[in-house]
């Protein structure tokens, strides 16, 4: 990772260093102000609203080993607990159905969603039976399981399979504690060639943002992606949270324009082969299913321990305790345990950030959905984006706002800070858990 660089990026800066720093501080202010959840006693989330489109998120919180850098909600796999959990997950679907919900899409996240394939299959099939409007199912997995015989049974059931690879560089795999778990970059690459033929969309998750990670290694990773030719690629930046900031992982995170140079290497390498869908997602065509379901769905409902829902003006969080989750399901309740209500201004700010991140900013959307003129309602934010060179007016469509190359990177910086803050919320809610809760 310290060899002399062969890749030479174009001599341009996406954003000045000070602007990246200011963006991080602004995001830190707003996430600390808004991203906390108050304890509540709720039997269920609110019922659906007529004319609203919803996504169903199902969380599977089990892994055979726990990666040190990961702050998602997960526990060490115990088969009896996992099987009991899947049964409860399907019961929670029944409760949600009784409230009147139907869904257009389903996203299964983890953890390792494929930890017991037969239970996952049963759960997806049950969801499709309960909610007949589901047209697509997106799922996550790791590169170890994709060549097992049981994995093939997901063909025809899952429309988009996202495989967490991070890198084909063995040094980075060792640094992130994945080499011994999932094999070398060469082995992972060979498995991916098999898996990408099984699903309509195979998404490969890659990672960048390590301090000392050379542009060569990133360029080589992206060149291998181009040769592999998956339908979709996601390039996440390394995210530092309250749990990892003091660890070795926190000490090696790239900062400022070092991160920008790495990002530009990705964009330059993939740009001739893929459409740039969001700030960190690339697809073969413009109509790919996005990895970030929050982009396509203003509202989503989460089931399972540790799942989040955004419904109406509120964020709902399910209990992070497996024990309490089981107790709530047995009592005929869903897993909801906390709620955070937002005012209209905060919601519009959030949607502006997502619009920048997804490269889809529309004045018409804000008028029709939120009843505001975005240029005047968020005057300071819009002025700041213009001064940063992040947005421009579309001369052919007065309702459309063009997100520039600098804006795409700014969207990544904002989304990185937002997800890090969400991970901090998870850490806060996991902290009180005792042995009997896991």
């Amino acid at each position: 990772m310290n060899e002399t660089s062969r890749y030479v990026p174009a001599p341009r800066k996406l954003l000045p260093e000070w602007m990246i720093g200011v963006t991080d501080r602004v995001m830190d202010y707003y996430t600390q102000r808004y991203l906390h959840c108050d304890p509540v006693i709720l039997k269920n989330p609110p019922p659906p609203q007529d004319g609203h489109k919803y996504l169903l998120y199902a969380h599977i919180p089990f892994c055979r080993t726990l990666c040190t850098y990961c702050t998602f909600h997960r526990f060490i796999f115990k088969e009896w607990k996992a099987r009991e959990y899947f049964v409860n997950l399907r019961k929670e679907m029944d409760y949600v159905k009784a409230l009147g919900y139907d869904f257009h899409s389903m996203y299964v996240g983890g953890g390792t969603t494929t930890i017991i394939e037969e239970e996952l299959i049963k759960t997806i099939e049950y969801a499709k039976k309960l909610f007949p409007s589901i047209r697509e199912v997106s799922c996550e997995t790791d590169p170890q399981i994709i060549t097992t015989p049981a994995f093939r049974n997901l063909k025809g059931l899952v429309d988009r399979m996202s495989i967490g690879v991070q890198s084909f560089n063995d040094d980075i795999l060792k640094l992130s504690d994945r080499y011994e778990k999932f094999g070398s970059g060469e082995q992972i690459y060979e498995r991916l060639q098999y898996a990408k033929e099984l699903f309509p969309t195979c998404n490969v998750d890659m990672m960048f943002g390590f301090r000392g990670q050379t542009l060569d290694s990133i360029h080589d990773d992206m060149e291998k992606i181009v040769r592999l030719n998956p339908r979709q690629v996601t390039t996440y930046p390394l995210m530092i949270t309250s749990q990892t900031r003091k660890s070795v992982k926190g000490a090696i995170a790239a900062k400022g324009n070092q991160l920008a140079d790495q990002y530009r290497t990705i964009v330059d390498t993939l740009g001739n082969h893929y459409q740039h869908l969001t700030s960190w997602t690339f697809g073969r065509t413009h109509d790919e299913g996005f990895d970030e379901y929050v982009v396509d769905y203003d509202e989503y409902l989460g089931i399972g321990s540790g799942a989040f829902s955004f419904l109406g003006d509120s964020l709902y969080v399910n209990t992070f305790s497996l024990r309490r989750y089981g107790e709530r399901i047995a009592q005929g309740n869903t897993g909801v345990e906390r709620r955070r209500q937002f005012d209209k201004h905060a919601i519009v700010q959030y949607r502006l950030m997502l619009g920048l991140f997804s490269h889809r900013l529309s004045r018409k959307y804000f008028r029709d959905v939120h009843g505001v003129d975005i240029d005047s309602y968020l005057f300071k934010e819009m002025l700041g984006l213009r001064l940063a060179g992040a947005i421009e007016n579309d001369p052919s469509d007065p309702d459309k706002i063009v997100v520039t190359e600098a804006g795409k990177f700014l969207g990544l910086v904002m989304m990185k800070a937002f997800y890090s803050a969400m991970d901090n919320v998870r850490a806060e809610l996991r902290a009180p858990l005792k042995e009997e809760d896991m």
Side-chain angles (χ1 to χ4, degrees):
M1 290 172 63
N2 295 313
E3 70 271 16
T4 303
S5 178
R6 300 182 306 276
Y7 173 78
V8 181
R12 66 185 189 281
K13 291 293 182 185
L14 294 172
L15 291 170
E17 189 82 38
W18 67 266
M19 192 176 292
I20 299 171
V22 167
T23 302
D24 280 333
R25 289 194 292 276
V26 169
M27 288 298 298
D28 186 59
Y29 167 79
Y30 280 111
T31 54
Q32 286 194 39
R33 177 180 176 182
Y34 290 123
L35 287 184
H36 56 84
C37 295
D38 304 318
V40 294
I41 300 175
L42 292 174
K43 182 177 180 180
N44 293 308
Q49 299 181 55
D50 290 341
H52 287 221
K53 189 173 79 166
Y54 298 96
L55 173 138
L56 176 65
Y57 175 85
H59 192 73
I60 314 300
F62 299 100
C63 291
R64 294 189 185 278
T65 59
L66 304 183
C67 297
T68 55
Y69 62 86
C70 178
T71 54
F72 284 107
H73 177 51
R74 72 272 191 271
F75 303 105
I76 285 290
F77 172 68
K78 293 179 181 176
E79 184 172 343
W80 69 272
K81 280 193 175 184
R83 289 191 182 277
E84 181 182 87
Y85 179 85
F86 274 105
V87 171
N88 285 333
L89 201 64
R90 294 190 286 272
K91 288 180 181 178
E92 190 173 14
M93 287 183 191
D94 288 329
Y95 304 158
V96 169
K97 174 71 173 181
L99 290 173
Y101 278 94
D102 199 1
F103 302 96
H104 288 77
S105 295
M106 181 180 187
Y107 191 102
V108 188
T112 305
T113 67
T114 49
I115 198 83
I116 306 178
E117 287 100 333
E118 65 195 75
E119 290 288 354
L120 175 63
I121 289 169
K122 193 183 299 184
T123 301
I124 295 174
E125 288 177 340
Y126 193 61
K128 287 187 170 185
K129 178 182 175 182
L130 273 184
F131 309 111
S133 293
I134 290 178
R135 294 292 177 264
E136 59 180 10
V137 175
S138 186
C139 198
E140 303 170 352
T141 192
D142 64 55
Q144 185 66 45
I145 202 169
I146 57 180
T147 55
T148 60
F151 187 73
R152 288 193 67 89
N153 295 326
L154 291 165
K155 183 178 180 180
L157 195 61
V158 173
D159 302 284
R160 176 184 172 278
M161 182 63 73
S162 185
I163 304 168
V165 172
Q166 292 194 359
S167 178
F168 299 114
N169 182 290
D170 288 347
D171 289 336
I172 296 173
L173 292 174
K174 291 173 183 176
L175 187 67
S176 56
D177 299 327
R178 292 175 67 88
Y179 185 88
E180 291 185 3
K181 297 173 186 175
F182 304 123
S184 69
E186 184 177 350
Q187 291 171 318
I188 292 170
Y189 187 87
E190 290 175 358
R191 294 186 203 127
L192 289 173
Q193 295 184 76
Y194 166 82
K196 73 187 181 80
E197 306 300 332
L198 295 178
F199 307 98
T201 298
C202 178
N203 177 80
V204 178
D205 279 349
M206 304 297 287
M207 183 176 284
F208 71 103
F210 292 96
R211 188 179 305 172
Q213 187 176 14
T214 68
L215 302 186
D216 279 343
S217 65
I218 295 173
H219 178 69
D220 289 346
D221 272 351
M222 296 306 110
E223 286 287 349
K224 286 176 180 172
I225 287 290
V226 170
R227 291 197 298 273
L228 183 68
N229 194 30
R231 183 167 171 180
Q232 192 180 82
V233 188
T234 306
T235 55
Y236 293 107
L238 178 67
M239 299 182 193
I240 303 304
T241 71
S242 58
Q243 294 181 86
T244 61
R245 187 171 284 115
K246 295 180 180 179
S247 70
V248 175
K249 302 298 178 295
I252 61 170
K255 296 181 179 179
N257 271 316
Q258 187 181 10
L259 183 71
D261 287 341
Q262 294 180 2
Y263 179 70
R264 196 173 69 247
T265 301
I266 292 169
V267 174
D268 288 349
T269 310
L270 294 182
N272 293 328
H273 307 277
Y274 285 89
Q275 304 290 336
H276 202 173
L277 301 179
T278 74
S279 289
W280 59 46
T281 306
F282 299 81
R284 282 290 175 197
T285 62
H286 279 299
D287 60 350
E288 302 283 333
F290 283 163
D291 179 61
E292 305 304 324
Y293 54 84
V294 296
V295 170
D296 278 344
Y297 289 85
D298 284 6
E299 296 178 273
Y300 49 91
L301 187 145
I303 57 172
S305 173
F308 290 82
S309 304
F310 198 95
L311 303 168
D313 61 358
S314 296
L315 176 72
Y316 298 88
V317 185
N318 283 16
T319 176
F320 276 58
S321 164
L322 284 182
R323 174 183 57 80
R324 287 200 301 275
Y325 179 69
E327 290 171 354
R328 288 186 64 88
I329 298 302
Q331 293 164 2
N333 302 327
T334 65
V336 173
E337 196 171 63
R338 290 176 180 254
R339 177 189 183 192
R340 175 70 164 93
Q341 191 171 17
F342 299 95
D343 61 31
K344 182 176 179 178
H345 191 265
I347 293 172
V348 175
Q349 284 181 318
Y350 169 66
R351 295 310 308 183
L352 176 63
M353 178 191 72
L354 291 182
L356 190 71
F357 171 78
S358 65
H359 317 163
R360 290 187 290 170
L361 273 176
S362 165
R363 292 181 173 92
K364 185 177 186 300
Y365 163 81
F366 286 100
R367 284 198 308 270
D368 293 351
V369 176
H370 299 286
V372 301
D373 179 303
I374 189 64
D375 295 282
S376 58
Y377 191 78
L378 294 184
F379 176 78
K380 291 187 295 183
E381 289 86 344
M382 292 295 285
L383 177 62
L385 291 175
R386 287 193 191 92
L387 292 175
I391 59 173
E392 299 173 349
N393 288 328
D394 187 333
S396 64
D397 185 350
D399 272 338
K400 186 177 178 183
I401 302 169
V402 176
V403 179
T404 66
E405 190 177 69
K408 293 173 183 178
F409 178 65
L410 195 62
L412 178 135
V413 172
M414 289 180 174
M415 204 66 168
K416 174 177 178 284
F418 173 76
Y419 274 127
S420 295
M422 291 296 287
D423 283 344
N424 289 336
V425 172
R426 290 187 185 95
E428 210 175 289
L429 297 176
R430 281 180 62 90
L433 298 184
K434 299 178 172 58
E435 185 65 32
E436 60 268 24
D437 294 310
M438 301 182 184

